[in-house]
Amino acid sequence: MLRIAALIVAAGRGTRAASQGAGPKQYASIGAKSVLARAIAAFAGHPNIDDVKVVIHADDRELYERAAQEAGAATLSEPAIGGATRQASVLKGLEALAPSSPDLVLIHDAARPFVSQRTISHVIAALGEKPGALAALAVTDTLKRASGGVVTETIARNGLWRAQTPQGFQFAPILAAHRKAAESGLDTFTDDAAIAEWAKLDVAIVEDSSGNIKITTAEDLEVADRQLSRSLEPRIGTGFDVHRFCEGDHVWLGGVRIPHTHKLEGHSDADVVLHALTDALLGAIGDGDIGQHFPPSDPKWKGAASKLFLEDAVRRVRERGGRVGNVDITVLAEAPRVGPHRPAMQALIGGVLGLPADRVGIKATTTEQMGFTGRREGVAAMATATVFVPASSDL
Ligand code: MG
């Protein structure tokens, strides 16, 4: 079996695409994951790749650790620290891989997060025939050369290709070519195929898909983000909760304190509305229930404001790249009356979920004096939530 390594170049300082303070573009987020995390996951998830190594800038260690965690990759080895140019960074990465002497290496720009499994497979396959292989797109636009804003020449596009990554090579010859280029003081190669050409290694063209875009500007990030949200799928969760009345003078419902002849008994503030709603959100993402995350046996949650539980469920939704669409709640009680407190509940819940009032339904009904709520033994609440999450876990 051939040993195949992937080398992802992420040492650049390009900040054109980053929002203020977010650092270089490869660490900016698309949906719930950074650009680099997506690139790592693409290679780490490919069945023929044995080792993934990232070349980073010395200042980016913390950002890298976060991206590595997001990628959830098991085959990620210790990152290499890059050099002053892209070419120098690749050489440092190749030197770091040299002790494990892989047969093939696929060199990839971190700024291309959407490389497909198919492209990776095709580049690997092409290396069976040639020492190098390059993912590329045929030029379809007419090309003009201009000078002083005026066209001076139309260039025949026949046979012209746009070089992308990954670019794959037999490991020993590309390492030798990179070393020789550095020793010769040549440091202006903009991709590895150019170094291979200079070293007289044949490089095969592998036709890529147009989806393998390079994130360069803030607009690229926005477009990628929009494309991703189109692939969100709706999920529905439901929740139900009951607490019994005991001696007291107020109840908590929907995060609002309501004066009453009794209070609701419970370990926390016994807010049935927020408990049912928390369970609905957890249910929509299949992430257990409120009792699992906040066990009543844990003294930490004694008297806790249930808003905390709801905030935690929202955090879990967002960690998956998800967003809440709407929620709908029904309170079952003979008393107290919910109607007068509806706007306050909508404001509180909407604040936690980031939703306007028309996406926070709050309704109430009696049970016609039947059953435990009818006998005024307690209050029950039911909740439904829609949540939108990325359609596939590999997105
Ligand atoms: Mg409860």
Side-chain angles (χ1 to χ4, degrees):
M1 270 302 272
L2 290 176
R3 279 193 46 82
I4 306 176
L7 187 65
I8 299 178
V9 192
R13 309 317 290 148
T15 50
R16 267 196 293 168
S19 49
Q20 312 120 319
K25 65 192 176 192
Q26 60 271 33
Y27 296 106
S29 285
I30 301 172
K33 282 186 201 163
S34 65
V35 174
L36 175 59
R38 292 174 186 281
I40 292 172
F43 286 89
H46 192 283
N48 298 124
I49 305 280
D50 302 291
D51 182 15
V52 180
K53 188 178 281 294
V54 183
V55 187
I56 64 171
H57 190 278
D59 294 346
D60 294 344
R61 179 59 84 149
E62 235 169 83
L63 289 166
Y64 168 77
E65 295 297 345
R66 202 182 313 150
Q69 208 171 21
E70 284 170 2
T75 47
L76 206 52
S77 62
E78 182 64 12
I81 302 300
T85 61
R86 183 188 183 283
Q87 187 187 329
S89 291
V90 171
L91 177 54
K92 295 224 181 192
L94 292 172
E95 294 288 6
L97 285 170
S100 66
S101 56
D103 299 294
L104 306 178
V105 61
L106 267 54
I107 303 171
H108 185 70
D109 286 336
R112 293 188 189 274
F114 299 123
V115 56
S116 69
Q117 299 292 291
R118 198 166 157 262
T119 293
I120 295 171
S121 296
H122 286 184
V123 169
I124 292 171
L127 293 174
E129 307 280 321
K130 302 279 184 202
L134 157 71
L137 282 178
V139 172
T140 53
D141 296 322
T142 298
L143 297 178
K144 304 287 184 190
R145 191 185 303 282
S147 173
V150 176
V151 172
T152 57
E153 190 188 355
T154 297
I155 298 163
R157 67 183 178 215
N158 216 350
L160 289 186
W161 293 82
R162 288 159 53 194
Q164 316 223 121
T165 67
Q167 301 187 350
F169 305 93
Q170 289 168 5
F171 185 77
I174 194 65
L175 174 58
H178 257 280
R179 281 177 177 164
K180 198 171 142 206
E183 282 159 16
S184 314
L186 299 171
D187 61 358
T188 53
F189 292 107
T190 52
D191 74 351
D192 305 290
I195 291 185
E197 290 158 46
W198 172 77
K200 308 254 186 296
L201 300 171
D202 278 351
V203 180
I205 290 279
V206 172
E207 188 151 17
D208 200 357
S209 70
S210 58
N212 188 10
I213 57 166
K214 187 172 190 177
I215 304 289
T216 308
T217 63
E219 197 189 341
D220 296 337
L221 270 177
E222 274 167 36
V223 169
D225 210 47
R226 268 205 302 278
Q227 268 168 3
L228 201 67
S229 36
R230 261 188 237 126
S231 61
L232 293 180
E233 67 175 20
R235 303 275 194 87
I236 295 171
T238 65
F240 179 73
D241 195 35
V242 181
H243 282 263
R244 80 168 63 234
F245 281 127
C246 64
E247 231 170 82
D249 62 1
H250 69 278
V251 297
W252 286 95
L253 288 178
V256 177
R257 187 183 193 275
I258 301 174
H260 191 53
T261 54
H262 293 80
K263 72 170 202 165
L264 291 170
E265 193 176 76
H267 190 67
S268 64
D269 63 10
D271 188 328
V272 287
V273 169
L274 296 190
H275 292 186
L277 183 54
T278 299
D279 265 356
L281 292 177
L282 294 173
I285 55 170
D287 190 1
D289 62 19
I290 192 170
Q292 179 192 331
H293 299 303
F294 301 98
S297 54
D298 189 336
K300 197 161 55 175
W301 310 119
K302 187 161 171 52
S306 297
K307 191 181 165 194
L308 282 176
F309 307 152
L310 186 61
E311 285 167 343
D312 181 73
V314 172
R315 180 184 62 75
R316 288 168 189 274
V317 169
R318 291 192 178 141
E319 265 178 8
R320 285 162 171 78
R323 44 192 84 150
V324 181
N326 76 304
V327 298
D328 187 24
I329 295 148
T330 303
V331 180
L332 292 86
E334 298 296 321
R337 288 192 58 217
V338 165
H341 306 285
R342 181 179 292 124
M345 291 183 195
Q346 284 177 309
L348 183 124
I349 293 168
V352 174
L353 303 183
L355 295 178
D358 71 347
R359 289 174 185 258
V360 181
I362 298 188
K363 313 178 309 296
T365 182
T366 70
T367 51
E368 302 281 348
Q369 297 174 35
M370 294 180 289
F372 63 88
T373 51
R375 293 188 299 271
R376 298 174 185 254
E377 292 168 7
V379 177
M382 303 188 297
T384 305
T386 57
V387 165
F388 292 86
V389 295
S392 165
S393 58
D394 61 5
L395 281 172

